[in-house]
Amino acid sequence: MTIKPWKSRYELAKTLIDERHLQNTNVEEIESTLKKMNYFQLINGLENDLLSQKVPKRFRTETFDDFKRLYKFNKQLESAIFSLIEDFEDQLKTSLAHNFSANHCRTLNDTMQYTNKNNYYNIKNDYQYPFTRYHTNIRMKISTSLNYLSQTSLIN
C-alpha cells in the first residue's frame, strides 16, 4: 500500500468519477455521503468486489449507489452476526451459571461457592490445553514490547 496525500471530499469524488469511471454519479452526492460515511470503509473497503480492472483501478458499470447498497448490506450482515454472537454468549453464560450452581451451590450454605477457587480448573498448568501456548506467547510479546518501550523512554 502506498502512502497517499490528503484529498478533499471534492477531490475524492472527482477521482472516482474521472479516473475510475464510476457511472451515473455526481460530485455533490459523493461529497454529501462522505460527510456521513468514512471513505475508506465505503470505497476502499469494498472496491475489490466491484472493480472490473484492478490496475489501474477502473469500474465498468458500477455506480456510487452500488457502493452505498453494498456498504448498507455489509452493515446489516455485521449487525446480524453480532446479534447472533451476543445471543450465543448470553446462552453460554446462562448455561455456565446454571450448571455451576447446580453442581456447587445447591444449598444455602454453598451459595458463595462461586468465590471458591478450588471449584475452577486452572488451565495455566495444563500444557495439553490448546490455548495455553498462545496465551504464553502473547504475554511474552507484550512483556518484550513494554521492556523495549521503557528502555527507549517512549513510556514512563
Side-chain angles (χ1 to χ4, degrees), residues 118-133:
N118 294 325
N119 290 328
Y120 298 93
Y121 179 68
N122 187 351
I123 62 170
K124 229 166 61 172
N125 302 326
D126 183 358
Y127 295 104
Q128 298 300 313
Y129 186 75
F131 298 111
T132 302
R133 290 184 301 273

Side-chain angles (χ1 to χ4, degrees), residues 1-141:
M1 181 162 78
T2 59
I3 297 174
K4 298 175 184 173
W6 180 87
K7 287 185 177 182
S8 67
R9 291 182 184 109
Y10 176 81
E11 291 169 317
L12 292 169
K14 289 299 282 176
T15 298
L16 288 172
I17 295 167
D18 297 340
E19 295 174 27
R20 296 193 186 174
H21 306 287
L22 204 57
Q23 302 295 308
N24 301 326
T25 304
N26 67 59
V27 173
E28 294 79 23
E29 178 190 4
I30 295 174
E31 284 183 293
S32 173
T33 302
L34 292 180
K35 289 178 182 175
K36 297 175 241 159
M37 297 175 169
N38 179 283
Y39 179 86
F40 179 80
Q41 292 173 336
L42 181 63
I43 303 298
N44 294 113
L46 303 171
E47 71 184 1
N48 285 339
D49 296 330
L50 297 175
L51 283 170
S52 58
Q53 180 180 325
K54 296 197 192 287
V55 179
K57 294 179 179 180
R58 292 252 166 76
F59 303 104
R60 187 174 301 129
T61 59
E62 293 72 22
T63 67
F64 194 63
D65 282 339
D66 292 332
F67 277 93
K68 291 194 306 190
R69 279 194 296 275
L70 188 55
Y71 178 86
K72 186 176 181 181
F73 170 76
N74 196 36
K75 285 292 188 190
Q76 290 170 342
L77 180 62
E78 177 184 291
S79 180
I81 290 170
F82 280 128
S83 178
L84 291 170
I85 290 171
E86 286 175 344
D87 290 347
F88 173 78
E89 286 179 349
D90 287 343
Q91 291 175 19
L92 180 62
K93 287 187 259 186
T94 300
S95 177
L96 288 171
H98 174 78
N99 287 298
F100 184 89
S101 297
N103 286 305
H104 299 289
C105 305
R106 285 193 160 278
T107 67
L108 219 53
N109 292 335
D110 292 333
T111 57
M112 295 300 289
Q113 283 300 308
Y114 69 91
T115 63
N116 182 349
K117 290 181 181 179
N118 294 325
N119 290 328
Y120 298 93
Y121 179 68
N122 187 351
I123 62 170
K124 229 166 61 172
N125 302 326
D126 183 358
Y127 295 104
Q128 298 300 313
Y129 186 75
F131 298 111
T132 302
R133 290 184 301 273
Y134 173 76
H135 289 289
T136 303
N137 288 342
I138 292 294
R139 269 189 245 114
M140 286 189 325
K141 286 179 181 178

Side-chain angles (χ1 to χ4, degrees), residues 138-153:
I138 292 294
R139 269 189 245 114
M140 286 189 325
K141 286 179 181 178
I142 290 171
S143 177
T144 303
S145 296
L146 289 174
N147 285 338
Y148 171 76
L149 291 173
S150 65
Q151 290 171 0
T152 58
S153 70

